Amino acid sequence: MKTNKIATRSVLRIVVPLIRKRTKLYQLLGFFIALVCALTIHPAKAHAQIIGALKADIPFQFYAGTANLPAGEYVLRMLDNSNLKIMEISSADGSVSALFQVQDAKANSAPRTGELIFNKYGNLYFLTSVFDEGNPDGSEVPESQYEKNVGQTGTEAQKHVPTDHRGQQGS
């Protein structure tokens, strides 16, 4: 009888830690599976994206990034394969175009119409933000060195220019 108790105790000393390790392993596995499910179900952060192209009639000469552009009618769109980081602006007749870098921006509220926002220093205008209709997520143009220099000497104001959808890219 004593041998059975001793044998039982010996077996328990070996088996109980193994059961505890296995239980912890199953708990970790369960936690990992729940984490993977949560990450796949949870929506990813939305990136600013202009669907199709935006058309705007800009009544003044302006800068988009480092490009100096004349007043006129323009079309803006995200550059394909740029990971939503580069926009193209081109005149409606295609005679003038430029590429400029953008980053994500967030408006306080969703604009009722699409709009371009310009910083104004004296008579100089710099494109600063692009927002699509009904979407508070937009694109912001980082300040160029020239804008930083001009901004140090002048007072800033903002000018909003409405946009319209031109349609899907390529139309």
Side-chain angles (χ1 to χ4, degrees):
M1 195 98 161
K2 287 185 179 183
T3 346
N4 283 344
K5 284 184 181 182
I6 293 173
T8 304
R9 285 183 190 157
S10 298
V11 169
L12 285 177
R13 273 190 238 153
I14 296 170
V15 172
V16 169
L18 290 175
I19 291 173
R20 285 184 183 152
K21 285 182 182 179
R22 188 172 274 179
T23 302
K24 286 182 182 180
L25 179 66
Y26 285 128
Q27 287 174 342
L28 286 174
L29 182 62
F31 175 75
F32 179 73
I33 291 171
L35 180 65
V36 168
C37 289
L39 290 175
T40 57
I41 293 171
H42 188 275
K45 179 181 180 260
H47 287 284
Q49 184 173 10
I50 305 299
I51 306 298
L54 295 177
K55 182 177 76 170
D57 188 11
I58 303 171
F60 44 80
Q61 179 179 348
F62 65 100
Y63 288 87
T66 58
N68 186 0
L69 302 166
E73 191 172 298
Y74 286 90
V75 177
L76 288 93
R77 68 177 184 87
M78 282 293 177
L79 194 63
D80 293 337
N81 301 319
S82 74
N83 198 23
L84 305 175
K85 298 297 180 197
I86 299 184
M87 288 192 86
E88 177 184 36
I89 186 167
S90 56
S91 60
D93 64 5
S95 62
V96 177
S97 69
L99 300 176
F100 57 94
Q101 186 177 1
V102 294
Q103 55 197 26
D104 293 344
K106 185 127 181 117
N108 293 334
S109 62
R112 295 173 79 176
T113 63
E115 64 182 2
L116 306 179
I117 301 172
F118 293 86
N119 285 339
K120 179 183 179 193
Y121 306 94
N123 63 348
L124 297 174
Y125 293 87
F126 296 86
L127 179 61
T128 186
S129 301
V130 179
F131 288 97
D132 204 357
E133 176 181 337
N135 188 355
D137 295 317
S139 297
E140 180 178 71
V141 182
E143 272 188 329
S144 67
Q145 188 60 49
Y146 182 55
E147 182 178 359
K148 288 177 187 176
N149 293 341
V150 169
Q152 291 176 352
T153 61
T155 58
E156 178 183 352
Q158 282 196 335
K159 175 78 174 167
H160 294 243
V161 175
T163 64
D164 294 316
H165 268 282
R166 182 173 180 208
Q168 294 302 321
Q169 292 177 351
S171 39

